[in-house]
Structures are given as structure tokens and as C-alpha cells.
Amino acid sequence: MTEVSMTVNGVSVGGSVEGRTLLSSFLREQLGLTGTHVGCDTSQCGACVVHVNGDAVKSCTILAVEANGAEVATIEGQAAEDGTLSVVQQAFQDHHGLQCGFCTPGMVMSTLALLKDNPKPSEAEVRKYLEGNICRCTGYHNIVRAIMAASGQDVAIAAE
Amino acid sequence: MPKDHGIGASPKRREDIRFLTGNGNYTDDMNIAGQAYIHFLRSDVAHGTINGIDTAAAAAMPGVVKIFTSVDFEGVGGVPCGWEITDRQGNAMQEPKHPILAEGKVRYVGEMIAAVIAETADLARDAAEAIDLDITDLPAVVNMRAALVDGSPKVHDDLTSNLCYDWGFVEENRDAVDAAIKGAAHVTTLELVNNRLIANPMEPRVCIGDYDRSSGDSTLFTTSQNPHVVRLLMGAFVLGIPEHKLRVVSPDVGGGFGTKIFHYAEEAFSTFAAKVCNRAVKWTSSRSEAFMSDAHGRDHVTKIELALDGDNNFVAVRTDTHANMGAYLSTFAPAVPTWLHGTLMAGNYKTPLIYVNVKAVFTNTVPVDAYRGAGRPEATFQLERVIDKAAIELGVDPIALRRQNFVTEFPYATPVAVEYDTGDYNATMDKLEQMADFAGFEARRAESEKNGKLRGLGVNTYIEACGIAPSNLVGQLGARAGLYESATVRVNATGGLVVMTGSHSHGQGHETSFPQVIAEMIGIDESMIEIVHGDTAKVPMGMGTYGSRSLAVGGSAMVRATEKIINKAKKIAAHLMEASDADIELKDGTFSVAGTDKSVAWGDVTLAAYVPHNYPLEDIEPGLEETAFYDPANFTYPAGAYACEVEVDKETGQVTIERMMAADDFGNIVNPMIVDGQVHGGLAQGIGQALLEGCIYDDDGQLLSASFMDYAMPRADDLPNFEVDHSCQTPCTHNPLGVKGCGEAGAIGSPPSVVNAVVNALRSGGADVTHVDMPLSPSRVWEAMQS
Ligand code: FES
Ligand code: FES
């Protein structure tokens, strides 16, 4: 067992983990941050995306020990203190960019990373960027619209 | 002006807040104090005799609590099948025992042989690796036709063959259909494969079994689309636990698409093991396990013949299908290729004579059962493909050929046992023509040609039977359960409502759309209504969510229960206003006496129901809670017209979907935003089937497409923006909401238009091709282009 410590959503946390413990398991099982989801075991689905030191990372692809000392951000840290949704979260709700919600935390965290690098992406760029995030429910149509809207670009509301 | 409230409005979904903030409560997010973890040891051979299972070394490993094999399940029932098919001779289908852990033999890669319970998931997995299996490989049978040849290896030694049933429908029509085909002016024949798929909801299955020795109560938390059905099947047929001692909970569920309908052996195991170990036990499926243990979908091989007279009227349809059941019968498996497929073979057309033959076959593969659409996509695909082929052979316009044969008068009794209540297939086709700008297609094709691409346009229609019921009909057809839905509406003293529904939401947004219906009926704000679902301890009974039935059947039960509430509330209001019941009107949450200015508010009446100081106690009881069970008189029949435009790269065979258009008739619509989303998701799965997805076994029964690396899930980049419309609305005539259901349409309607479009593109490039099997991979398309 190894002791790790890191900052998650601005809070210092620590725990003892096995060498093989993935960051996704550490977040879910040891910290109880179950918003980060695990949808596969081959690093393909993106349900587990979090930010590590500002970069979007599939938390099932790194070990908890590798995140030792890092700044980690998860879906739980995205809304304001009073519960107000962030711009990206609000756009997902406004444009019906989620159904079962399982892919959603990863989608939101990936979107934040995309918009940081490319604040006004084209629709094609959005679709390309989401290659690592699988959604089985929405057909991506409304996810793409949500992301366009979150980047301040015009889209009609979902029902029209 | 769009409505902002009630039926027809698109309020933002209330469930989104918890999903967007990481506060969803999915089964794997739950943990019970003291829980142990399960790891299943699964077969890595498709067929073999189990000579021995040595668990001694594994049992001695650190953290191991107990190891189970089939001997621990003596006296426990097998996993039951929920539907019995009667074959052409009037005999019951062959139904093998489906043990929880393999007994004596393994029959597919992924079948559970043993289970380790340990203190952590990792320790359970480590110990499972130490179990010593002695298995003698047997030859496997994977191909359905090979499985029916005399001398083929048998999947089940105690059955006479690998044939589950040979079903004819309608058997009495067989000779007349044969004669009509013999005498027809033109017969178009098409052989095709409806590719095997894996549903892959993004949340893998999870079970937590729990047991309370002091009360003797068992609880199962599971990722199910219908917890009450799991309680009934598992309690009554597998473990022998009566309903009052067994609670099944399905909290937030991360997508289902059919594959979470069924009662799985892992559920029974977890419930059983919790009692034996006297502690909670948890299993979380890995995605790799999901590929080899979630029931698969589709997998039909079909020959269809369409006979036409000299004026191009359809005179007969005859089909011959082999349907894969896999190694065991999953809950609904036998019904999918029969009652959910044969009954839809009339499509949108007035073909007078139809005969459907289905041979269901056991193979050494994962059980196959319902996947989004279930039987109806298979029916639609073959019919809409053969019509396009007939149009090519006859040199006629495929849309005109369809229109000429549309059913136009309703109700319409098909020759395959169902009666369409309403529809207007020309209206949806008109709408589609408007959306799709067919007139501009040649110009778009010329543009594609300049870029070295072939452009194709494909069109099709579909009809589906949804809202599965009525119970007396499905009972005659072999269902072993009723197919009603129930709802309890509880009004609290201060006027808020809690609605307990047997429907289950796993992405459909019931928590938002169901209150819209009740808010409209009473004239109060949606925020006063809360939906409770997914817990057998809270909801009296339920048949769950599948077959696009939640609003049509579950919603109708809610309407009935709310009507009872309103009736009783009117009596209370009449008493309060000293008027007669018959004169009471309810509007905008206020009761008034017709023709007077007397009124009482909703909240005054609900308070009186629980504080009955001034109350008609001699006539009615205090309280305001009602339950209704709704059993529909018929299926509902959503229908529509779909079009797809593709580009095909001449060099590589790569297909790109340029446009995907859906004009649907879902009857009345409660929440247009959610309906759009349901269609989008269905379209993505239909396009996935047509272009990308295919579950592949090798001849030894090894699953080759066993991860997201080998099984191509549609990604954002593979799909276009969708163009959807549901403004054509012929309300269902037999449910109180006039709704038809929208969950499966996209997956049913889209595969034929994609294939029709690709064939159209290839023909425009000079290829002599009338069909390409799905998925339309670049290599298949390229090969077809060379013909
Ligand atoms: S769980 Fe990390 S990519 Fe699928
Ligand atoms: S919303 Fe269900 S997987 Fe994306």
C-alpha cells in the first residue's frame, strides 16, 4: 500500500492505495466521488474523464499513485457553491444533451477541455474532439448543440 | 407560441440536475456496510464438458469468503423464460434448463461456471484465477443452418435437436400464399442478414444482493428496466421467495435499450449468495464481461419474397427466417422473432396474403433477446429492402410503388393478426418529401460527383406495434405474464402529489414528462408532482419500460388514477360548497360550481381530505390516494417515413451519412424535446447497425468483437445532424392520451433507408447491385462497387 495525497476540486485529500489502484477507483471508492463513471475497461468510452493539472485525462488510464500531488477536478466540482450550474452544465440541460446521464460527467469534463483550447469550435471540430467519448443515448445531436451553445455560438433550442 | 407548461411543453428535465453535477445514484454508486464482492469465473470455451472444478487453492487465498459452483444450487430453479411459442404442429417450443452456474457443461463463451466472494473485488478476481478447471472441449455450433443439419453438435443433449421451434404465421394462409406467389406477375426475392448486435448501454450491469437475517428480507439492487418483473421471476421461479420478503430496486439506470429488461442469472446469484453469506455482495460487470454476458440482439437470416400483380399491387409476402436464440432462452427471446416480428410483416401496406416462417435455433453463443425495436426492425428491414429491390427490377419509382400500396383506411385489419387503429402514411411521406427536397437531389449528386463521390438517396417507411399489451391477447400468444401497467397517485394534505409508477426511467425523462400530464389534468404546476419509480417496496406493481410502452400504458394508468382522484376531490369540493357533484368543475387547480362564483382551491380540498372536519364522511372515506391498473385494448402503431442521403467514396468504399431525415407519427406528443431526443438516439443506433456494428463469432464460438476496440460503436464523428419531424399526428384511438410511443422508431426506421441509399449510390456509379449486407463496411461496399 502506498500513501497518496492530491487536491480534488480544491480540497486536499489522501489515502492509501495499492499500486494497481486506478485513479477512477480511488475517486469512486475511496473518496466517494461517484460522479466519475466507468463504462469500459479498454480506455475507449470517456465516461471517466477528469482533469489532472488542467488536462482532460481518462481516469481509468492512470494510477492513483501517478496522480500523487496533482490538482484533480471532477464533475462534482463544476457547479457553483450555491448549486448554480456552470455554463457547460447549463447548456447540456438547455439543449437536452443528456438522457440516462451516464456518459454526461465525461462529456462535460471533455467539453471544458475542448473549449479551453478552442473557445469557438466548429461543429466538425466538436464531433472530432468527442471521438473519445461514447454516448449510447443521444445520437450526439443535442450534445453537439449544447457545446456550440456553451461556446456562445447560435443554436436553436432543442425542441424547435 | 409553444406551451411552457403541461402537455405539449418542453420544460427542462428535472433529473438533469443530479446527472450534471455527479449526483446520480446508479447501482454501482451504492455500497452497503460490510459488503463483499463477487467475481464470476466465466467459460472461455464455447462448448465443453466440465469434468471438475477444483476450488481448494482459490478458497485458501486471502480475503476469500466463499466460492460457489453449481452444486450449491441444487434445488434452486433455473432462470425462467417468460414466453412460450407453439410451433406449426401445435407443440410447445423446446425449452432447456438455464442454470445459474453451469451444470456439467458450458455452452457459450462467457457462461458462468463459478463465483468467488471476497473482501475486495481485486481479491475475488485474483482467487478466481486460481480455480482449476478441467473442461473437455466439444465441437461448437455457431452457424444457424449448420446447427439444424442432422449430426450437428447439439447445444443441449436432452433436446431432440437445436431447433427451438418452427413457427408458421398465419399457418392457415400458407397454401394461399404459395399459390399467390406461383401465379404472380412478378416476384422479387431477397436474401439478407440482420446483423447481430450488442446493446451496450454505457452503464454496465451491476447487482447488489443484501439479506437481513433478523427479518428474513432479501433485497436486490440491480440495473434493470423492470424491477417488478425481476422480483416476480426470481422470487417465484428461481429462489422461492414470496414478494413480501423480496425487494428489488433499480435506481438510476444508465441506459437499457432492451438488454436490461431480462432477468439475469447474476441477479439470482447475488440475492442467493447474500443470504448464504449473510452479508451484502456486489457485482459490477466490466465492459468485457458485458460483451459476453448481456443478451445480444437481432441475428436473423432471412429470405423474403414479394409478389406483385401486373399493376404493381402487392399480392403476397412470404418469408423464411432463421433466428438465433443463443445457448439458452433469455426472458423474452422466443417472442422477438415471432410475435414482435411476424405481426409486423404487413408494414404500411395492404398486402392481402402473408406467410411468415421462423425457425429459432440454439447455438453456442450468448443468449439473444430484445434490443431496441426487437423484431420490428427485422420485419421493417426485410420488407423495405425487398420493396426497393422490386422497384429496381420493375423500373418504377420506389416512393410511388410504396404509396400505391399504402393502407389508407383505418381501422385496418392486417392478414397477420393485428388491427391498426389510426395512421396516415401519405401524410408522413408528404412531410418527408418536403423535408428532404427530393427535387434538389440530382444537383446534390452532381456536386458529389465533382468530388469523386457517389451520392445515393434511400427512402423507406416503417410501422411498429408498441405499448405492448393487451394481456388477454398476449396470453393467448404465449406470454407468461400480464402486460398492463399500474400507477398510484397519492395526494398529500397540502396539495402536492406523489405518483408511483410501474414504468422505469433509464434515460427517457419520466420524472419530467409524467408530471406534465398530471399537471395538465389538474391545472397545477409540475413542481407539485413527484414521480417515484424503480422500487418494488414503493410501487405496488409494474411491468417496466420497454417496447415504447411507458407513456401509452404507464401514462394511461396514471391518467386513470388521476381521474379517480379528481372524481373524489370533486365530491369533497361539492360538500365544501354545498353543491351537487355534477356541477363541480376543475380548472387551473380550482374547483367551482358551474354558473356561480363559488370556488375552492385544490389545496383546500386536499386539506379537507386529511382534516375531515367538514367532510362527507357518510359517503366517502378521508384521504386522497388512488391506484389504477391500465390494460390497453390494442397495441399502438407509430409509423413514419425516413430518408437518408449518403456519399460513397469511390476509392475506399467509405460511406458518409450526409442527411438523415425522419417524419414520424407518434400520435399526441407530451414533451417534444424528449421525443426529438428519443428519435435521435434511435437513429444513431439504426445507423450504427447499418454502417458500423456487428457482433462476430468465429467458427469455434469465440467472440471476436469483445470490446469497444473491436465492436464499432457510433461516435459523434460518424453521425450527421438529424432532421426530425413529428407534426403528423393521428392520435391513438384507444388510450386516454392518444399517444403511440416514440422510443424505438429511430432504430426501426433508419437501417433500411441507409442501405437503400447506399445501393442507390452504387447503382448510380454503374454497379449491378441490389443489396449489401449490414454493416456496410468500406470493404463490403468497395466489393459491391466492383460488381
Ligand atoms: S472507463 Fe475510462 S475510458 Fe471507459
Ligand atoms: S446520455 Fe446515456 S450514454 Fe450518453
Side-chain angles (χ1 to χ4, degrees), chain B residues 393-448:
Chain B
E393 289 174 357
L394 295 165
V396 299
D397 174 47
I399 297 178
L401 181 61
R402 287 181 169 87
R403 282 188 186 269
Q404 168 184 350
N405 287 284
F406 275 163
V407 172
T408 52
E409 279 168 31
F410 297 87
Y412 174 76
T414 72
V416 275
V418 291
E419 183 176 285
Y420 303 160
D421 58 341
T422 51
D424 187 344
Y425 309 144
N426 277 308
T428 40
M429 187 60 89
D430 291 345
K431 185 67 194 177
L432 184 75
E433 294 205 16
Q434 244 176 45
M435 293 162 71
D437 178 29
F438 291 154
F441 175 71
E442 284 308 326
R444 294 193 293 277
R445 174 173 269 174
E447 204 53 40
S448 299

Side-chain angles (χ1 to χ4, degrees), chain B residues 198-547:
Chain B
I198 301 178
N200 274 323
M202 291 317 297
E203 179 205 31
R205 287 188 295 125
V206 181
C207 299
I208 306 172
D210 195 13
Y211 181 69
D212 179 347
R213 196 173 266 176
S214 59
S215 66
D217 290 348
S218 293
T219 303
L220 171 69
F221 298 89
T222 180
T223 50
S224 175
Q225 297 177 220
N226 49 1
H228 289 86
V229 175
V230 171
R231 181 182 64 168
L232 181 64
L233 292 177
M234 182 173 81
F237 299 100
V238 188
L239 301 179
I241 309 173
E243 284 98 321
H244 64 284
K245 300 308 271 178
L246 175 60
R247 174 182 174 204
V248 178
V249 185
S250 298
D252 287 329
V253 172
F257 315 113
T259 204
K260 290 177 181 168
I261 298 173
F262 323 121
H263 172 42
Y264 284 96
E266 290 91 345
E267 294 172 323
F269 177 84
S270 304
T271 310
F272 180 83
K275 184 171 179 179
V276 173
C277 301
N278 192 31
R279 64 193 283 194
V281 293
K282 179 175 187 176
W283 170 67
T284 302
S285 174
S286 68
R287 180 61 57 183
S288 302
E289 271 185 293
F291 270 95
M292 60 171 121
S293 67
D294 289 3
H296 293 176
R298 314 280 193 262
D299 205 353
H300 286 193
V301 177
T302 292
K303 176 180 169 190
I304 179 167
E305 296 157 283
L306 171 66
L308 303 93
D309 69 13
D311 298 321
N312 297 339
N313 298 312
F314 301 166
V315 294
V317 166
R318 181 168 63 193
T319 75
D320 175 355
T321 287
H322 286 69
N324 206 335
M325 293 288 105
Y328 298 98
L329 292 178
S330 177
T331 310
F332 276 159
V336 174
T338 50
W339 299 109
L340 295 177
H341 162 256
T343 50
L344 271 299
M345 283 312 306
N348 309 59
Y349 311 102
K350 50 190 185 219
T351 314
L353 286 164
I354 298 173
Y355 180 73
V356 179
N357 181 230
V358 178
K359 294 178 185 72
V361 186
F362 292 112
T363 60
N364 292 112
T365 64
V366 173
V368 181
D369 204 328
Y371 167 58
R372 201 170 197 168
R376 293 151 290 174
E378 294 90 323
T380 304
F381 185 72
Q382 51 183 289
L383 192 59
E384 294 297 322
R385 284 295 303 123
V386 81
I387 292 172
D388 250 42
K389 188 177 183 204
I392 291 169
E393 289 174 357
L394 295 165
V396 299
D397 174 47
I399 297 178
L401 181 61
R402 287 181 169 87
R403 282 188 186 269
Q404 168 184 350
N405 287 284
F406 275 163
V407 172
T408 52
E409 279 168 31
F410 297 87
Y412 174 76
T414 72
V416 275
V418 291
E419 183 176 285
Y420 303 160
D421 58 341
T422 51
D424 187 344
Y425 309 144
N426 277 308
T428 40
M429 187 60 89
D430 291 345
K431 185 67 194 177
L432 184 75
E433 294 205 16
Q434 244 176 45
M435 293 162 71
D437 178 29
F438 291 154
F441 175 71
E442 284 308 326
R444 294 193 293 277
R445 174 173 269 174
E447 204 53 40
S448 299
E449 184 63 36
K450 278 192 209 148
N451 302 320
K453 305 276 174 68
L454 297 171
R455 195 172 188 104
L457 170 65
V459 172
N460 66 276
T461 66
Y462 78 90
I463 186 161
E464 54 169 329
C466 292
I468 299 178
S471 294
N472 56 8
L473 175 64
V474 295
Q476 287 164 30
L477 304 182
R480 289 166 169 165
L483 287 173
Y484 51 82
E485 194 47 88
S486 83
T488 296
V489 176
R490 176 178 300 155
V491 185
N492 292 320
T494 58
L497 284 80
V498 179
V499 180
M500 287 144 272
T501 171
S503 296
H504 186 275
S505 185
H506 30 276
Q508 295 88 340
H510 296 169
E511 290 168 38
T512 302
S513 58
F514 285 3
Q516 290 179 248
V517 173
I518 295 173
E520 175 95 18
M521 290 177 73
I522 303 176
I524 52 174
D525 198 76
E526 278 99 349
S527 62
M528 293 174 67
I529 304 159
E530 197 68 26
I531 301 296
V532 172
H533 69 94
D535 185 344
T536 62
K538 295 183 181 162
V539 179
M541 189 53 186
M543 285 295 135
T545 286
Y546 49 86

Side-chain angles (χ1 to χ4, degrees), chain A residues 20 28 34 39 41 44 75 89 93-94 96 98-102 123 127 131 136-138 140-141 158, chain B residues 12-13 20 26 28-29 122 126 198-199 202 287-288 677 680-681 685 693 709 714-716 719 721-722:
Chain A
R20 62 180 166 179
R28 287 183 57 78
T34 54
D41 47 9
Q44 302 273 306
I75 190 70
Q89 288 169 317
Q93 190 193 25
D94 289 348
H96 190 24
L98 63 154
Q99 291 183 21
C100 77
F102 198 79
E123 190 195 306
R127 287 185 180 274
E131 212 170 38
R136 193 50 150 170
C137 297
T138 63
Y140 305 98
H141 179 107
Chain B
K12 291 172 193 171
R13 295 200 329 169
L20 279 162
Y26 301 88
D28 192 44
D29 300 343
D122 285 337
D126 293 347
I198 301 178
M202 291 317 297
R287 180 61 57 183
S288 302
H680 295 161
Q685 290 182 352
E693 297 177 43
M709 289 189 284
R715 314 273 174 147
L719 299 168
N721 274 319
F722 303 122

Side-chain angles (χ1 to χ4, degrees), chain A residues 9-27:
Chain A
N9 300 326
V11 178
S12 297
V13 296
S16 59
V17 298
E18 285 187 59
R20 62 180 166 179
T21 302
L22 299 170
L23 178 59
S24 52
S25 316
F26 178 68
L27 291 170

